[in-house]
Amino acid sequence: KLFSLGSHETENKLRFDMNKFQNGWKYSYGLDAQYVKYDADIFNTIKIESTDAAGNISPAQTLSSKSAIDFFKFGAYLQAAKYFFKDKFLISGGFRSDMNTFTTEGLNPLKSVSPRISFSYAINDEWNLSASIGSYYKLPVHTMLGYKDSTAALANKSLEYINAIHYTIGTQFIP
């Protein structure tokens, strides 16, 4: 056998979303919880057994790993939006924070605070201009979290959330 990979990811999710309208403002907020299970069984032949011209045998080199993890993820968000100038200009802003029970600092909600703000201007009934900026955090992929070192210990419990900062500007045409 040269290579074998079997893996499974399962996420069970529960979400609560609420939308309210008050004095021209739209408020959205919510909570979510997830139970995550991941397992992987990997076998890889790095080098096959070989024999040189003198009859010396170089043994095969293989890598074999099995891993299984399970943990909880939690999140909360809040967003507010309002139109101004006769419903031509929209401002929307909010933030989100996530936590998890797997990583070392996963239960610190300040490690993943993700603020964002966006603006949209209706030039006319068909054209809009928009711009936004946001900082987003994401837990590393399960393959990284479930990685075990040579002693079979989970090696990446100290991984931090991955951060991406997005800047967008664009137009929209709706005929």
Side-chain angles (χ1 to χ4, degrees), residues 107-121:
L107 292 175
N108 182 349
L110 300 178
K111 290 285 186 176
S112 65
V113 173
S114 302
R116 61 213 52 188
I117 190 166
S118 67
F119 307 94
S120 177
Y121 180 73

Side-chain angles (χ1 to χ4, degrees), residues 30-174:
L31 302 168
D32 60 72
Q34 297 179 40
Y35 175 63
V36 177
K37 285 179 71 172
Y38 168 78
D39 66 78
D41 184 356
I42 302 167
F43 177 85
N44 192 8
T45 301
I46 299 167
K47 179 180 171 261
I48 61 172
E49 181 179 297
S50 62
T51 306
D52 65 15
N56 298 318
I57 297 174
S58 177
Q61 294 178 354
T62 62
L63 169 75
S64 182
S65 173
K66 289 186 180 186
S67 183
I69 59 175
D70 67 325
F71 59 96
F72 288 95
K73 296 193 310 188
F74 308 98
Y77 78 92
L78 174 65
Q79 181 172 330
K82 182 169 174 60
Y83 280 97
F84 296 93
F85 307 117
K86 298 181 183 177
D87 291 342
K88 288 208 163 272
F89 186 65
L90 173 65
I91 297 177
S92 177
F95 69 90
R96 177 178 178 85
S97 182
D98 291 289
M99 297 181 295
N100 73 84
T101 61
F102 183 81
T103 60
T104 308
E105 295 191 29
L107 292 175
N108 182 349
L110 300 178
K111 290 285 186 176
S112 65
V113 173
S114 302
R116 61 213 52 188
I117 190 166
S118 67
F119 307 94
S120 177
Y121 180 73
I123 298 169
N124 57 38
D125 290 341
E126 296 178 331
W127 286 95
N128 285 331
L129 293 175
S130 62
S132 66
I133 183 172
S135 175
Y136 300 87
Y137 285 90
K138 182 181 185 324
L139 195 61
V141 295
H142 299 144
T143 308
M144 291 175 67
L145 296 176
Y147 175 75
K148 291 185 175 181
D149 63 17
S150 60
T151 68
L154 290 168
N156 290 330
K157 289 186 76 76
S158 63
L159 285 179
E160 295 183 2
Y161 280 85
I162 299 167
N163 180 239
I165 298 175
H166 294 203
Y167 303 91
T168 66
I169 188 165
T171 61
Q172 181 179 22
F173 175 72
I174 303 172

Side-chain angles (χ1 to χ4, degrees), residues 3-16:
F3 180 78
S4 172
L5 169 64
S7 70
H8 303 91
E9 288 186 24
T10 305
E11 292 186 355
N12 296 306
K13 302 178 182 188
L14 175 66
R15 186 181 340 210
F16 166 78

